């Protein structure tokens, strides 16, 4: 006769659970705790954090590294007509020379930016020079990684793109995801249509164009326009840039963005 649940050993009960299909695994509560692996070796809550980046703000962001600059472009959406559009931004300064483009949950973005600024300030106070962008990316990634291990905090629902002109390597672009993964990139994307944006950026990188500052800005904006299937107005997007010809991290004005949009339209 088949043994009842109370008569079966803990080991046999555990082994039977390992055979659960994915849907039943989630139904069994594997997606309710951030610290527990599912039988397939997945952390469902971390995967849900990736979905928060994609779906929370419904925006797409791209960044492109040129010969002497790095450009970040993102959509700018005002959710309420009564809101002042000047207070809505996805671009942040970590230091005067390091810019950050955050995609995902705005409150989480603000919290992570403040932690990044704190780490950058402490580094400069201790060492006497500004924190290198690759080291800052690692420090931010470490925060994200710790929150995949401990049950007392959820991951930040944001994707961070960091860019700066490094003293040793020149233009530098790094991306940090909610799980604490960080990598250097020639071009990267995040948000609702990140897969389509990556395809568009791959085509630009494969062409091996002479990416001057103006060309980099226009290629990045053009890639985002292609992905979204629309022509932007200057108020529809935000553009941030670090360049050897500019001092520090700079946000382009609507007049400057309009100039580049006109150049893109004339070229097409």
């Amino acid at each position: 006769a088949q043994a009842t649940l109370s008569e079966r050993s803990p080991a046999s009960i555990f082994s039977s659970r390992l055979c659960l299909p994915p849907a039943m695994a989630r139904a069994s509560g594997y997606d309710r705790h951030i610290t527990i692996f599912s039988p397939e070796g997945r952390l469902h809550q971390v995967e849900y954090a990736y979905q928060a980046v994609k779906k929370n703000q419904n925006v797409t962001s791209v960044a492109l590294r040129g010969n002497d600059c790095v450009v970040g472009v993102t959509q700018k959406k005002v959710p309420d007509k009564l809101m002042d559009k000047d207070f809505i931004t996805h671009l942040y300064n970590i230091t005067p020379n390091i810019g950050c483009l955050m995609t995902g949950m705005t409150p989480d973005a603000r919290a992570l930016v403040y932690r990044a600024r704190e780490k950058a300030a402490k580094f400069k106070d201790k060492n006497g020079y500004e924190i290198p962008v690759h080291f800052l990316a690692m420090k931010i990634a470490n925060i994200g990684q710790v929150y995949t291990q401990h049950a007392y905090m959820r991951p930040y629902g944001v994707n961070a793109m960091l860019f700066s002109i490094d003293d040793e390597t020149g233009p530098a672009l790094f991306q940090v995801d909610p799980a604490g993964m960080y990598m250097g990139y020639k071009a990267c994307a995040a948000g609702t249509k990140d897969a389509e944006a990556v395809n568009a950026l791959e085509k630009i990188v494969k062409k091996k164009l002479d990416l001057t500052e103006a060309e980099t800005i226009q290629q990045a904006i053009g890639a985002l326009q292609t992905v979204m299937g629309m022509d932007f107005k200057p108020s529809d997007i935000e553009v941030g840039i670090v360049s050897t010809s500019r001092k520090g991290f700079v946000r382009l004005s609507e007049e400057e963005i309009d100039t580049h949009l006109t150049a893109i339209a004339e070229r097409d």
Side-chain angles (χ1 to χ4, degrees):
Q2 188 174 4
T4 63
L5 187 63
S6 60
E7 294 171 341
R8 291 164 64 190
S9 67
S12 65
I13 294 171
F14 180 73
S15 62
S16 67
R17 282 183 176 173
L18 287 179
C19 299
L20 289 173
M24 288 182 68
R26 287 217 294 273
S28 299
Y30 286 104
D31 66 335
R32 298 197 185 172
H33 300 280
I34 197 163
T35 56
I36 298 176
F37 284 103
S38 74
E40 300 84 38
R42 295 162 61 184
L43 290 169
H44 290 289
Q45 285 295 324
V46 176
E47 293 178 18
Y48 297 164
Y50 282 89
Q51 292 303 313
V53 173
K54 279 177 171 282
K55 297 175 181 178
N56 191 270
Q57 294 285 320
N58 197 29
V59 301
T60 304
S61 308
V62 299
L64 179 62
R65 192 180 76 193
N67 299 338
D68 57 358
C69 64
V70 183
V71 176
V73 184
T74 187
Q75 292 174 272
K76 184 172 184 176
K77 293 184 177 180
V78 183
D80 192 323
K81 290 181 181 178
L82 296 177
M83 284 186 179
D84 185 345
K85 65 180 177 63
D86 294 333
F87 285 84
I88 295 171
T89 184
H90 299 286
L91 295 170
Y92 301 88
N93 275 85
I94 306 300
T95 70
N97 298 311
I98 299 178
C100 183
L101 171 53
M102 290 287 197
T103 310
M105 300 172 69
T106 302
D108 282 19
R110 186 181 65 247
L112 193 57
V113 162
Y114 271 84
R115 292 197 65 172
R117 286 172 178 169
E118 182 184 1
K119 289 190 178 295
K122 285 182 176 178
F123 182 94
K124 188 172 184 181
D125 183 54
K126 182 180 179 180
N127 297 284
Y129 62 95
E130 190 170 285
I131 188 169
V133 66
H134 66 87
F135 191 69
L136 179 62
M138 185 189 73
K139 288 291 188 181
I140 295 173
N142 286 347
I143 295 170
Q145 191 277 331
V146 165
Y147 290 163
T148 67
Q149 285 183 282
H150 293 284
Y152 61 82
M153 286 285 277
R154 64 168 174 77
Y156 285 106
V158 288
N159 183 295
M161 299 178 192
L162 300 164
F163 26 90
S164 178
I165 303 297
D166 191 85
D167 292 338
E168 295 180 358
T169 60
L173 169 64
F174 287 84
Q175 187 176 39
V176 185
D177 70 18
M181 179 76 176
Y182 83 100
M183 296 289 283
Y185 284 86
K186 297 175 183 176
C188 58
T192 307
K193 294 190 174 183
D194 57 350
E196 296 93 328
V198 166
N199 289 335
L201 291 168
E202 282 177 353
K203 291 175 183 175
I204 294 169
V205 172
K206 279 181 182 177
K207 290 177 184 175
K208 296 184 178 179
L209 301 169
D210 181 29
L211 291 173
T212 61
E213 183 181 307
E215 183 67 18
T216 307
I217 293 169
Q218 289 166 23
Q219 288 290 345
I221 295 174
L224 191 57
Q225 282 193 149
T226 302
V227 169
M228 302 312 298
M230 60 186 290
D231 292 330
F232 291 132
K233 300 192 293 289
S235 59
D236 290 339
I237 56 173
E238 289 183 287
V239 181
I241 182 171
V242 288
S243 172
T244 54
S245 63
R246 299 172 185 259
K247 186 176 180 180
F249 174 62
V250 179
R251 297 163 183 78
L252 297 191
S253 65
E254 288 193 5
E255 290 75 20
E256 289 175 291
I257 293 172
D258 190 37
T259 302
H260 290 293
L261 288 172
T262 303
I264 293 168
E266 289 174 352
R267 185 174 60 193
D268 293 343

